[in-house]
Amino acid sequence: PGPARPAAGGAAVVRNVCAALLHHPVHDRERRGVTTAITNLDLHDIARSAHAFGLRRLYVAHPVQAQRTLADRVRRHWTEGSGALRIPDRVAPLSGLAVVPTLDDALRDLGGDGEVELWTTSGAPAASRALSLAAGRERLRGEGPPVLIAFGTGWGLADSVHERARFRLEPIRSPRADGYNHLSVRAAAAIVFDRLLGGGGEP
């Protein structure tokens, strides 16, 4: 997993922690399986959050070559092109972005399906293998294999992805009485990274 990183309170995060943004297989609002389009804002906003909280890499997975080419073009703009000259603070975060066809490619890059703990995220509570953010925070401070945290676009990850996961993280809870809980994936990722790896303590 690489060298330990200092964490809040003097503890050390010894896990290799990465994230994956999946565009397939995901659900639409009718819970049908779909493939979503890559969004420019997702790429650099989640990459910046991942870098800020010490994640080693952000994988962006899309099965369509034209969409991967678009993502690679965005990455190069911020790491080699005019964006790098204009806003150099984005070079390091976007250098950690890897564009791959599938979740399996990300898992293989980290060491293989059986060698990586896959954690999934959702706006709905898990029926099984649920992991609270506080428990996840503690788990990352122990020895273990690399962890890949998967986020879904559209209306969330397909059930087939959750079924593969070692754990499904608890949803971010809204205090609203009407239960509204529909965050952008960019906002959700930043909150999850902070609660797992940031200096704010337990969620």
Side-chain angles (χ1 to χ4, degrees), residues 178-203:
D178 61 8
Y180 183 88
N181 195 31
H182 189 60
L183 297 174
S184 71
V185 69
R186 300 185 297 278
I191 293 169
V192 168
F193 297 159
D194 179 54
R195 292 185 180 176
L196 291 175
L197 298 161
E202 293 187 358

Side-chain angles (χ1 to χ4, degrees), residues 156-180:
L157 295 168
D159 294 339
S160 60
V161 179
H162 290 301
E163 289 165 3
R164 298 180 59 179
R166 176 70 181 274
F167 296 112
R168 180 165 162 178
L169 290 171
E170 67 177 2
I172 297 165
R173 296 182 295 273
S174 167
R176 290 183 59 90
D178 61 8
Y180 183 88

Side-chain angles (χ1 to χ4, degrees), residues 1-201:
R5 303 192 305 280
V13 178
V14 297
R15 297 285 195 106
N16 177 359
V17 185
C18 299
L21 180 66
L22 272 60
H23 297 80
H24 176 89
V26 294
H27 287 139
D28 67 6
R29 68 172 63 228
E30 305 298 332
R31 290 192 58 79
R32 295 173 298 198
V34 296
T35 300
T36 58
I38 285 176
T39 300
N40 189 338
L41 280 175
D42 286 346
L43 300 183
H44 60 76
D45 281 8
I46 300 176
R48 288 157 61 194
S49 294
H51 183 73
F53 289 104
L55 278 77
R56 304 296 175 84
R57 183 161 294 178
L58 170 64
Y59 295 94
V60 174
H62 203 293
V64 178
Q65 178 62 61
Q67 287 282 292
R68 296 198 301 275
T69 299
L70 170 65
D72 275 324
R73 186 178 300 125
V74 170
R75 178 179 56 79
R76 289 196 304 271
H77 171 76
W78 292 109
T79 58
E80 305 169 15
S82 61
L85 297 174
R86 186 164 52 88
I87 310 179
D89 285 348
R90 293 194 184 178
V91 174
L94 270 296
S95 295
L97 189 152
V99 184
V100 296
T102 67
L103 171 62
D104 287 305
D105 291 292
L107 291 168
R108 278 193 292 270
D109 189 60
L110 282 174
D113 198 347
E115 304 299 323
V116 180
E117 272 191 21
L118 176 62
W119 297 7
T120 56
T121 60
S122 174
S128 62
R129 300 191 300 278
L131 182 69
S132 72
L133 291 166
R137 185 180 179 90
E138 291 305 311
R139 189 173 180 85
L140 294 178
R141 279 148 180 74
E143 296 284 349
V147 171
L148 182 63
I149 306 170
F151 296 87
T153 52
W155 286 69
L157 295 168
D159 294 339
S160 60
V161 179
H162 290 301
E163 289 165 3
R164 298 180 59 179
R166 176 70 181 274
F167 296 112
R168 180 165 162 178
L169 290 171
E170 67 177 2
I172 297 165
R173 296 182 295 273
S174 167
R176 290 183 59 90
D178 61 8
Y180 183 88
N181 195 31
H182 189 60
L183 297 174
S184 71
V185 69
R186 300 185 297 278
I191 293 169
V192 168
F193 297 159
D194 179 54
R195 292 185 180 176
L196 291 175
L197 298 161

